[in-house]
Amino acid sequence: MSGAQDRRGVGADEELVGKLVASLREYAVYTLDPDGVVSSWNPGAERMTGTSAAEVVGENIAVFYTTEQVAAGEPRELLDKAVQRGSCVDEGWRVRKDGTRFWANVVTTALWSSDGELRGFVRVTRDETELHSRLESSLRQFRDLFGIAPVGIGVFDRYGYALDTNHALCELLGYEPAEMRGTHLTNMVPPDTPGRERLRESFRGGDSPEREGVQEWPLSRADGTRVICELHAAKSVRSDGEEFWLVIFQDVTERHRTIEEWRYWATHDELTGLPNRSAVTQWLADADMDGFAMLYCDITNFRRINESLGLKAGDDLLVEMAKRLRNDLPEEWLVGRMAADEYLIVCPDVVAAGGADQMATFVLELFHRPVYLRGHPPIQLSASVGAAVAEDNTTVEDLLRSASAAVMNAKSGGKDRIAVADPELITSMDRQLQLESELRSAIEAEELTLHYQPILDDTGRILAAEALVRWDHPELGLLLPGRFLPVAARGDLLRELDLCVLRLAMRDAATWPVGEDGRPVVTFNLGELSPADRDFVEVLGAAVAETGVGWERVVIELVETSLINIADRGAEAMHEVTGNGARFALDDFGTGYSSLDRLKEFPIGVIKIDRSFVAEIADSSGFSVVKAIADLAEALGCTCTAEGVETVEQFEALRGMGVRTYQGWLFSRAVSSSELRELLTTGSLSSPEE
């Protein structure tokens, strides 16, 4: 192409640019020569800068830069970038003719001739002052929020290095901001944390991890302690296209600690801290049980301790007992608490421990040692211990079942008993459990039967009748208390049995013919229901209200030993009941160990001489004992009743020493409620003298 043609081409280009420039009134569009001198200037440039074309054409574009920008060489640097890249984009402050500033978005494009010679530059500038102001405001708000946010926030580049961290994150990890800057995210994670290297590897090469969302990681603080954080990560992109990560660090250490506490207490007893049944089962689930021994220990009459000393003392006693078992048993033995007063002990090697019997004896001795609680005299405990030894293929549940059956057998023999499980015992306990289930159903349905043994004066007049419970079993026939009371005790059914007998006896008494003197009286024994119970008066009052039987026709029989466990509250309840007109009888007197002072604390109206003393009344020693009890009853102002009177000689001897009421086969066996009504209709039984 000739020079003339080239000049015509250049002129055509400039004309085209000129027309384009003139049309873009909202943009500053202008051209520069290779040295940055303005060669054209459109109306948009005039309006944006306040400078006309005549004023600026021939001037270097640097006149619109700040002094600092010129000193830093920015005007030339941007032109050089456009030469190198073909075009470049820049944002920054520019200066108008009147000295005010505006935020400019500038696109610079290099212009070349066909032979590769730099002809100059064309620029398009947009005034983004308002947009920049809004962006700055948003950024300032973000920065303020970033600084005051109560949770840790960090900005990380695509490689995982910290670009910025807020105050909360620095405080959480115990570092200064300068120490945090440039730290790799994985350096905050303890070296022994699983998955740490995988996380580090995911950042290598600048490839951001694919997963966003929430992850939990332990982090190391400056002092070496650890904190567990939820990391909420989101990927973002800067204006230049560079990816980065915004990560929120939420401290969940306390939440983890709470969860761990919940998990701990789900497998441990809250009062004593001992493992519970669930924990024992879990810990032994995968163990080879061959050679293991398990002891099930049950404190005797623990409920009475709660009633006499209070719940606080009862809890303290259980804690002290747990400490004793932990401290005095071999370290390799496992101690757990199964229920209120039941402990479980597991020995991994019964042979090394000397056998199940020796183990059980040793543990029983620990229970026998007095327990000392502040504010109370030494407490002497008794317990029942059931032992079971695992064999081939024995499971944890098998061992638990066997030990439980053994302790039930031990409890049926009285206090301080030991029983070792064997196949015969397991079979027997299975039968007992079946019987227990049937008894529970019979009590709930009130299907028990009451027989009554009359209590008479020396003329044969029936003054009262003692309720004696029977169970008419559908397969085993009529069962006496000696057969099913141990079943009730093992199944913790004694209180329910007492309540059932109370209701049935009061209903029967409501059908008896009543004489002018208000007799006959109904008497019943209490096994578990006690005046020390908070609802004792309420329970009796409900039965009286339901049946209409007057309080004066009610006698509650207590065994002598029960007085020991009746505290002040129980004595108050007894006085309230007697104030209503009912009376208390002391059953089997002379077989216990209550003192006279203790006896005087309670409103006892009847003292019953135990049948064992009546049977020996022919002997001089037996006679003296019965005479002493009769004299004591008279001195206390109590009625004296003799139980188990079977011969005329016994009757005569008793009457001669002042006993005035009698009960026994000499007069009548226990009869049904309907038979008793017939006897009451006749008025009296024949006197032994007749």
Side-chain angles (χ1 to χ4, degrees):
M1 184 183 293
S2 66
Q5 290 174 323
D6 186 55
R7 283 192 299 274
R8 283 196 300 274
V10 172
D13 289 344
E14 290 177 347
E15 183 181 358
L16 180 62
V17 170
K19 292 180 179 179
L20 177 64
V21 167
S23 67
L24 297 175
R25 299 181 59 83
E26 299 301 321
Y27 292 84
V29 183
Y30 50 95
T31 58
L32 307 174
D33 69 11
D35 294 323
V37 176
V38 179
S39 56
S40 68
W41 194 251
N42 82 329
E46 291 183 0
R47 187 169 53 256
M48 191 177 296
T49 64
T51 306
S52 67
E55 292 174 301
V56 74
V57 172
E59 297 289 335
N60 194 288
I61 195 62
V63 297
F64 297 104
Y65 283 76
T66 67
T67 303
E68 295 78 13
Q69 290 170 336
V70 173
E74 284 189 28
R76 185 68 248 176
E77 181 181 349
L78 293 176
L79 297 178
D80 291 342
K81 285 183 179 180
V83 170
Q84 295 168 7
R85 303 176 184 175
S87 67
C88 70
V89 179
D90 176 56
E91 288 186 338
W93 292 109
R94 298 293 186 267
V95 182
R96 297 187 181 95
K97 177 182 177 180
D98 61 5
T100 60
R101 296 186 180 189
F102 66 98
W103 186 265
N105 178 282
V106 183
V107 179
T108 304
T109 303
L111 300 174
W112 303 90
S113 66
S114 60
D115 59 1
E117 181 182 357
L118 179 65
R119 293 171 44 216
F121 305 90
V122 61
R123 273 190 172 177
V124 179
T125 300
R126 184 171 67 250
D127 184 353
E128 294 187 343
T129 305
E130 185 177 349
L131 177 63
H132 178 71
S133 177
R134 291 199 301 267
L135 181 60
E136 280 291 301
S137 176
S138 297
L139 289 174
R140 186 164 52 252
Q141 291 173 2
F142 172 78
R143 173 56 60 183
D144 292 342
L145 181 62
F146 184 79
I148 67 173
V151 294
I153 304 175
V155 180
F156 297 83
D157 68 13
R158 60 186 296 195
Y159 300 97
Y161 291 96
L163 301 173
D164 198 4
T165 52
N166 72 342
H167 175 73
L169 182 57
C170 294
E171 189 175 64
L172 174 65
L173 299 181
Y175 290 101
E176 294 296 327
E179 296 176 295
M180 293 286 294
R181 196 168 298 116
T183 299
H184 198 276
L185 178 62
T186 56
N187 288 343
M188 303 177 188
V189 179
D192 58 350
T193 303
R196 178 178 182 268
E197 289 307 314
R198 187 174 65 253
L199 180 63
R200 180 181 289 275
E201 187 65 30
S202 67
F203 278 111
R204 285 201 175 102
D207 296 326
S208 301
E210 294 181 0
R211 284 182 53 191
E212 297 185 8
V214 181
Q215 300 182 44
E216 277 193 2
W217 289 91
L219 303 181
S220 294
R221 304 185 77 255
D223 60 5
T225 58
R226 297 190 180 190
V227 59
I228 301 174
C229 286
E230 260 185 7
L231 272 57
H232 301 251
K235 185 167 56 177
S236 189
V237 182
R238 295 194 327 207
S239 59
D240 59 3
E242 188 73 15
E243 291 182 341
F244 69 95
W245 286 90
L246 186 64
V247 183
I248 294 177
F249 296 73
Q250 185 172 0
D251 184 0
V252 294
T253 308
E254 190 60 35
R255 185 173 72 192
H256 268 257
R257 185 177 295 113
T258 300
I259 291 173
E260 286 301 315
E261 287 181 359
W262 288 347
R263 185 177 292 115
Y264 177 86
W265 290 120
T267 56
H268 287 75
D269 171 52
E270 186 174 359
L271 177 65
T272 64
L274 293 177
N276 60 18
R277 181 185 182 119
S278 175
V280 172
T281 303
Q282 290 176 24
W283 290 349
L284 299 179
D286 298 325
D288 180 3
M289 300 299 294
D290 189 21
F292 273 62
M294 187 175 286
L295 302 181
Y296 212 119
C297 312
D298 190 323
I299 298 175
T300 304
N301 287 332
F302 179 73
R303 183 170 177 268
R304 294 302 186 206
I305 295 174
N306 274 336
E307 292 171 350
S308 59
L309 302 181
L311 295 178
K312 173 66 167 57
D315 286 348
D316 291 345
L317 184 145
L318 292 173
V319 171
E320 288 301 315
M321 200 66 238
K323 291 178 181 177
R324 179 181 299 177
L325 293 174
R326 269 196 304 251
N327 295 336
D328 293 2
L329 291 176
E331 186 176 354
E332 63 273 16
W333 292 19
L334 173 65
V335 181
R337 184 183 177 207
M338 306 303 282
D341 56 352
E342 298 173 1
Y343 296 88
L344 189 74
I345 299 168
V346 180
C347 169
D349 190 345
V350 65
V351 175
D357 286 308
Q358 184 169 327
M359 281 179 57
T361 301
F362 173 57
V363 170
L364 193 59
E365 290 174 353
L366 293 181
F367 278 95
H368 280 175
R369 281 164 34 191
V371 178
Y372 298 92
L373 301 179
R374 181 175 298 180
H376 298 281
I379 302 172
Q380 186 70 52
L381 296 179
S382 58
S384 299
V385 178
V389 179
E391 299 176 349
D392 291 339
N393 301 320
T394 299
T395 66
V396 179
E397 288 300 327
D398 290 338
L399 203 57
L400 275 168
R401 179 167 167 267
S402 297
S404 179
V407 78
M408 289 172 62
N409 186 55
K411 289 168 63 176
S412 67
K415 63 180 183 178
D416 297 338
R417 283 288 304 273
I418 294 173
V420 179
D422 56 31
E424 183 179 348
L425 173 63
I426 300 301
T427 301
S428 173
M429 287 301 105
D430 285 343
R431 289 197 298 268
Q432 292 296 322
L433 287 173
Q434 177 65 29
L435 200 61
E436 177 188 317
S437 176
E438 294 169 347
L439 177 59
R440 179 177 283 104
S441 298
I443 292 174
E444 291 174 353
E446 295 187 346
E447 294 175 349
L448 299 177
T449 301
L450 296 186
H451 284 194
Y452 296 88
Q453 186 166 43
I455 300 173
L456 308 93
D457 62 14
D458 55 6
T459 68
R461 184 173 57 134
I462 300 175
L463 305 177
E466 180 181 355
L468 303 172
V469 65
R470 306 286 187 262
W471 180 17
D472 194 3
H473 192 276
E475 297 177 4
L476 303 177
L478 193 66
L479 303 181
L480 297 179
R483 178 69 186 277
F484 62 85
L485 284 183
V487 177
R490 283 193 294 268
D492 198 23
L493 296 173
L494 287 177
R495 178 179 169 85
E496 285 71 17
L497 181 60
D498 281 347
L499 295 174
C500 181
V501 169
L502 169 63
R503 290 190 294 267
L504 292 176
M506 294 289 282
R507 290 171 191 167
D508 283 345
T511 68
W512 298 344
V514 181
E516 295 181 359
D517 58 357
R519 301 181 188 277
V521 169
V522 61
T523 79
F524 47 84
N525 293 278
L526 296 182
E528 186 71 13
L529 186 63
S530 167
D533 296 347
R534 296 183 182 276
D535 61 347
F536 181 75
V537 178
E538 181 182 349
V539 167
L540 289 178
V544 168
E546 177 193 347
T547 61
V549 175
W551 283 97
E552 68 282 355
R553 292 183 58 203
V554 176
V555 172
I556 304 106
E557 296 192 11
L558 304 174
V559 294
E560 184 181 358
T561 52
S562 68
L563 296 181
I564 299 171
N565 294 321
I566 297 178
D568 292 343
R569 184 177 68 239
E572 292 173 3
M574 292 176 68
H575 282 287
E576 183 175 349
V577 168
T578 55
N580 290 332
R583 289 180 296 164
F584 285 93
L586 200 57
D587 195 16
D588 300 337
F589 186 80
T591 61
Y593 42 87
S594 60
S595 66
L596 182 59
D597 285 340
R598 186 67 172 160
L599 187 61
K600 289 167 60 178
E601 295 176 13
F602 303 101
I604 302 299
V606 179
I607 291 180
K608 302 185 76 172
I609 304 172
D610 186 68
R611 66 180 60 249
S612 62
F613 298 128
V614 173
E616 298 175 354
I617 199 170
D619 298 333
S620 58
S621 58
F623 182 91
S624 299
V625 170
V626 174
K627 183 66 168 65
I629 296 174
D631 290 344
L632 175 63
E634 184 179 0
L636 293 174
C638 298
T639 299
C640 186
T641 300
E643 296 180 297
V645 182
E646 298 181 357
T647 67
V648 174
E649 291 76 17
Q650 291 172 348
F651 168 71
E652 292 294 347
L654 290 165
R655 186 169 63 169
M657 62 180 64
V659 177
R660 293 293 176 260
T661 55
Y662 315 90
Q663 181 178 356
W665 287 2
L666 177 63
F667 308 97
S668 174
R669 293 175 179 268
V671 297
S672 67
S673 181
S674 60
E675 290 174 311
L676 179 64
R677 279 197 298 272
E678 292 179 8
L679 293 176
L680 293 172
T681 302
T682 63
S684 65
L685 292 172
S686 298
S687 170
E689 295 179 323
E690 297 176 1

